[in-house]
Amino acid sequence: MAKKTIEDVQWQGKRALVRVDFNVPMNDAGEITDDTRVRAAIPTITYLSQHGARVILMSHLGRPKGERNEKYSLRPVANHLQELLKGIHVSFADDCIGDTAKEAVGALKDGEVLVLENVRFYAGEEKNDQELAKAFAELGDVFVGDAFGTAHRAHASTAGVAAYLPSVAGFLMEKEVGIMGEALASPKRPFVAIIGGAKVSDKINVIENLLPKVDALLIGGGMANTFLAVQGNDMAKSLVESDALETAKRLLAVAKEHNSRLLLPTDVIAAKAFAADAEYTARKVNELKADEMALDIGPDSIAVFQAEIKAAKTVIWNGPMGVFEMPAFAKGTFAIAEAMVEADATTIVGGGDSVAAVEQAGVADKMTHVSTGGGASLEFLEGKTLPGVAVLEDK
Ligand code: ADP
Ligand code: MG
């Protein structure tokens, strides 16, 4: 990656102000239900600590709407981090700016870690308020951007603060941007992308950006219905976006123009109701009954998609192939995950629901990269420059 990283800085005795993404899901009892994001930040934190930095971590948690709200306190996350970081002292500051934060920073010894309270307790955070950004900057000597999951937002702690401090990438940021950036810029071929999910409108820009780059684009999920409808199939009760028909038509034309192979399902799993216990059967896309809806890709499509994936050298996947939350309609999605595991390829998964599916299938660690950022990875695949990446210094 063309950005400076934490390896380009002499850390001994310096205050590393690190923006991490500790926006973890919590249950009503205030317990962390999935600590993936906390663990994803450990390599950066450990490196900084081992190199003698005083490590100051800032993050948001949930949507406290610019006000202090104990429900969204990062204290439980700091406690959990202490359990994960055996041997490294972790403390917590009850505020993310001002005297409380400054005193806590002042008390840090080299190698110690401090977690600041939720940056979204201040309304200026999401407005990228420059005064707030300066107040953050006073706490550190060098800014480290490691919150890939929030890098698509220009907020005070992700972007604004970088104007006032030397700014470098952490290991998570480097990995996310490096692997996805290389896959897009110079993919090993064949390069296959699989796009799914509910709506075409969510993924237009991704499809548009990927079409000229890939050798094949496989489309499944609810959004495939809209493309299939454009091609003259009667999708019956399936989810079809009437206001995205023109867009789908245009994307099919773009594919033709670039000679890109855009593959749609040839068969689907048809059900009479959007329900886990609905009766279902496999049908060709042009043979749906009037009272049926397509809730997954069918076995013929699975076979074709799997063959494409297994022959590929680079595979990027965003969006499930069906309503994978219901086991009856999860086969297509899991079949994609399985083929990616078997492929001798660089395999990348992005998108909240696709990542959840891969984790459910128990194969997350068999992928080259599972992105920690749903929205951020989507914008990255759209070819956009992420503000939280742009502010980091070039090598
Ligand atoms: P991601 O979070 O991976 O980007 P999306 O949010 O775009 O994925 O889409 C995921 C949602 O799409 C899931 O909730 C899934 O149930 C839904 N979905 C997939 N296929 C269909 C379909 N055929 N009909 C209705 N909904 C679908
Ligand atoms: Mg989603």
Side-chain angles (χ1 to χ4, degrees):
M1 156 162 107
K3 296 288 178 185
K4 283 190 187 159
T5 76
I6 50 175
E7 291 180 305
D8 297 312
V9 178
Q10 282 298 330
W11 287 108
Q12 191 63 49
K14 289 213 182 99
R15 297 170 301 163
L17 180 63
V18 192
R19 179 48 157 104
V20 288
D21 181 1
F22 281 175
N23 183 31
V24 292
M26 286 190 169
N27 62 20
D28 290 336
E31 294 156 348
I32 299 167
T33 53
D34 179 356
D35 71 349
T36 306
R37 285 177 165 165
V38 181
R39 283 186 285 108
I42 299 274
T44 294
I45 298 169
T46 309
Y47 178 92
L48 291 169
S49 171
Q50 284 171 352
H51 286 76
R54 302 170 186 200
V55 187
I56 303 142
L57 306 176
M58 54 180 179
S59 176
H60 73 287
L61 175 67
R63 296 178 180 279
K65 299 187 179 141
E67 283 170 24
R68 177 169 276 276
N69 180 341
E70 289 309 315
K71 194 178 152 206
Y72 300 106
S73 174
L74 278 164
R75 192 185 288 275
V77 182
N79 291 339
H80 184 65
L81 181 65
Q82 178 65 87
E83 283 167 30
L84 295 175
L85 287 178
K86 295 189 183 71
I88 299 177
H89 186 262
V90 179
S91 52
F92 177 76
D94 201 29
D95 205 343
C96 58
I97 53 169
D99 291 342
T100 304
K102 280 183 192 164
E103 274 163 35
V105 169
L108 281 177
K109 298 194 186 72
D110 294 355
E112 289 186 347
V113 175
L114 171 70
V115 178
L116 301 175
E117 185 54 288
N118 196 339
V119 291
R120 286 198 189 164
F121 284 0
Y122 289 90
E125 164 63 4
E126 294 189 68
K127 295 182 187 133
N128 196 10
D129 177 74
Q130 293 307 293
E131 291 311 313
L132 184 61
K134 275 185 211 163
F136 289 144
E138 282 178 32
L139 303 175
D141 299 307
V142 178
F143 172 68
V144 178
D146 209 27
F148 179 76
T150 348
H152 57 314
R153 307 274 183 237
H155 293 171
S157 70
T158 61
V161 61
Y164 307 103
L165 290 175
S167 303
V168 301
F171 289 142
L172 177 62
M173 186 72 93
E174 181 187 26
K175 185 174 178 228
E176 292 269 9
V177 174
I179 294 179
M180 287 196 279
E182 186 170 320
L184 293 182
S186 49
K188 286 177 277 163
R189 294 185 181 276
F191 177 14
V192 172
I194 310 119
I195 304 294
K199 291 156 112 195
V200 181
S201 45
D202 288 343
K203 311 268 164 102
I204 304 167
N205 297 329
V206 177
I207 296 173
E208 200 139 27
N209 186 43
L210 291 179
L211 268 177
K213 297 183 166 67
V214 297
D215 297 295
L217 184 76
L218 320 181
I219 294 188
M223 70 159 73
N225 300 330
T226 304
F227 286 94
L228 291 166
V230 165
Q231 292 184 332
N233 299 291
D234 179 358
M235 299 312 292
K237 293 249 174 335
S238 306
L239 172 77
V240 172
E241 282 168 277
S242 52
D243 51 358
L245 290 167
E246 281 309 309
T247 304
K249 203 181 271 178
R250 184 170 61 77
L251 291 171
L252 289 169
V254 172
K256 212 168 220 169
E257 184 189 316
H258 288 283
N259 252 334
S260 316
R261 291 171 55 239
L262 191 158
L263 276 67
L264 291 164
T266 54
D267 62 346
V268 293
I269 299 300
K272 287 199 199 314
F274 190 90
D277 58 357
E279 264 179 61
Y280 59 89
T281 181
R283 293 212 195 280
K284 300 278 172 225
V285 291
N286 58 359
E287 289 175 357
L288 279 179
K289 302 274 182 284
D291 59 350
E292 289 176 340
M293 58 185 89
L295 295 182
D296 195 5
I297 58 173
D300 296 350
S301 309
I302 287 179
V304 171
F305 284 14
Q306 284 196 319
E308 291 284 342
I309 292 165
K310 287 183 193 173
K313 287 281 175 234
T314 304
V315 185
I316 290 185
W317 178 25
N318 176 294
M321 296 292 98
V323 184
F324 76 103
E325 296 92 336
M326 305 178 189
F329 313 111
K331 292 189 192 79
T333 300
F334 289 145
I336 297 298
E338 188 188 301
M340 285 177 74
V341 169
E342 284 176 32
D344 180 17
T346 299
T347 50
I348 300 168
V349 186
D353 291 292
S354 332
V355 170
V358 165
E359 276 164 3
Q360 244 180 61
V363 295
D365 58 349
K366 298 205 170 76
M367 301 292 175
T368 308
H369 185 60
V370 176
S371 180
T372 56
S377 71
L378 200 61
E379 291 199 20
F380 196 90
L381 296 181
E382 288 173 356
K384 285 193 188 138
T385 305
L386 309 184
V389 178
V391 295
L392 306 176
E393 287 163 35
D394 293 327
K395 274 236 199 264

